[in-house]
Amino acid sequence: MKRMMLRTDIPLTRRAVIHGGVALAGSVAIGRAFPWIETGVDASGWTDAPQQPALSPAEQLNARRAELAKAPIVVTSLGGSLSLLSGPGGNVLVSNGPDGKVVVDTFVLPAWTSLTKALAGLGSQPVKAVVDTHWHFDHADNNAGFRGLGAQIIAHTNTKTRLSQSHDVLGMHFDPAPPAALPTVLFASTHKLDANGEPFELGYIQPAHTDTDVYVRCLKTNVLHLGDTYFNGGYPFIDWTTGGTIGGMIAAAARSLTLSDAQTKIIPGHGPLADRQTLTAYHEMLITVRDAVQKLKKDGRTLEQAIAAKPTAAFDAAWGKGFVQPDFFVTIVYNTL
Ligand SMILES: [Zn+2]
């Protein structure tokens, strides 16, 4: 008689957690930084998902890509040759004109077709240059596609380094990017280019959201793209696995204020178009939360106790409804102080 093996006993090796609507499996990287996730201490607002087979870290990445790609692209004119494209990934800035297109950030891989369609809608000029504000997939995922169209890819030196490594972040696994997806023009401090009558200034930001962050400043039209050093309307994610810290985020916001005036259109990595006033509120929120968590830590509170003290309570209604929820933000701040 043929022996039937019923696989009803496949263990769930990791607890799936739902966070901000995103299913995340506690990866080795998360476990290392946040051991309470793997040990099941739920002091945090990370809630247990219904029992379901956990996705592998590679599957998590593709699931996240597919989820982000569902967002339609919304185009907003910023004046001059500039447009903001929002939707499937981090915010994209485009300059279109006779010199060709300059594109800052690239959305996620499955949004390639809709992105190229949206770019074509701005005019028939080819993409001349792409800027990666940092190494994360929801900003740099389409580097290879743009290289295939003949564009140069401009980024900080560390972006090439980080893209060339394997990483585990938020339960997602990243293999080293293939050579064809790497930046082609690297800088360490600043980089300038001119296109369509617009002088662009690119500048390295000391480690903040990652250690690869750059800002892009359009000096004529007065637009500033801050990448993920600025989340508008939600607590920011800070990637502790590649050099991000709360102190760096605060320093980045303070420096960004010096790069802007009352008229500057400020593009956050995620969230709606902003200005100096909203950036100031974000900067003050970061400082207040940092100070509160720092005091708890200095007083000897454990992470769980710091979370229970709810140091973000006054900000949660305004900032706590995004991808990074209050308890997770306290965790990031506590662990990167
Ligand atoms: Zn990012």
Side-chain angles (χ1 to χ4, degrees), residues 134-139 209-210 213 227-228 231 237 239 270:
H134 62 294
W135 77 271
H136 282 159
F137 76 104
D138 51 331
H139 301 257
H209 169 72
T210 67
D213 305 317
D228 279 0
F231 280 54
F237 174 61
D239 182 359
H270 299 272

Side-chain angles (χ1 to χ4, degrees), residues 79-128:
S81 68
L82 303 177
S83 301
L84 168 65
L85 274 54
S86 295
N91 285 321
V92 170
L93 169 67
V94 182
S95 167
N96 181 69
D99 297 334
K101 292 185 176 75
V102 176
V103 178
V104 180
D105 284 346
T106 73
F107 290 147
V108 290
L109 209 50
W112 173 249
T113 304
S114 54
L115 173 56
T116 49
K117 232 180 246 178
L119 291 174
L122 296 172
S124 59
Q125 294 82 355
V127 178
K128 171 186 163 182

Side-chain angles (χ1 to χ4, degrees), residues 60-277:
Q60 288 285 1
L61 170 58
N62 283 329
R64 185 72 182 129
R65 279 180 167 133
E67 186 61 34
L68 287 167
K70 286 179 191 165
I73 296 176
V74 177
V75 182
T76 308
S77 174
L78 300 176
S81 68
L82 303 177
S83 301
L84 168 65
L85 274 54
S86 295
N91 285 321
V92 170
L93 169 67
V94 182
S95 167
N96 181 69
D99 297 334
K101 292 185 176 75
V102 176
V103 178
V104 180
D105 284 346
T106 73
F107 290 147
V108 290
L109 209 50
W112 173 249
T113 304
S114 54
L115 173 56
T116 49
K117 232 180 246 178
L119 291 174
L122 296 172
S124 59
Q125 294 82 355
V127 178
K128 171 186 163 182
V130 168
V131 179
D132 292 339
T133 60
H134 62 294
W135 77 271
H136 282 159
F137 76 104
D138 51 331
H139 301 257
D141 232 6
N142 283 305
N143 278 359
F146 282 117
R147 277 188 60 172
L149 297 180
Q152 56 180 27
I153 312 288
I154 308 167
H156 187 265
T157 313
N158 289 352
T159 294
K160 184 174 183 182
T161 305
R162 292 305 192 184
L163 284 172
S164 304
Q165 301 167 335
S166 69
H167 294 281
D168 290 280
V169 186
L170 290 175
M172 297 176 286
H173 176 75
F174 298 85
D175 284 324
L182 295 176
T184 56
V185 177
L186 301 175
F187 68 95
S189 175
T190 57
H191 183 88
K192 292 186 188 305
L193 69 148
D194 274 278
N196 308 315
E198 186 75 56
F200 290 81
E201 176 191 282
L202 283 52
Y204 181 56
I205 304 168
Q206 293 302 309
H209 169 72
T210 67
D211 61 7
T212 68
D213 305 317
V214 301
Y215 68 80
V216 179
R217 199 177 177 192
C218 305
L219 296 165
K220 184 180 163 200
T221 311
N222 198 3
V223 170
L224 178 62
H225 193 321
L226 293 177
D228 279 0
T229 65
Y230 183 21
F231 280 54
N232 185 19
Y235 291 128
F237 174 61
I238 303 172
D239 182 359
W240 64 92
T241 74
T242 56
T245 66
I246 180 63
M249 290 292 270
I250 291 169
R255 184 171 169 211
S256 300
L257 286 169
T258 71
L259 300 174
S260 61
D261 60 33
Q263 278 73 47
T264 308
K265 289 174 175 146
I266 301 179
I267 301 175
H270 299 272
L273 189 63
D275 59 20
R276 198 181 154 77
Q277 206 177 338

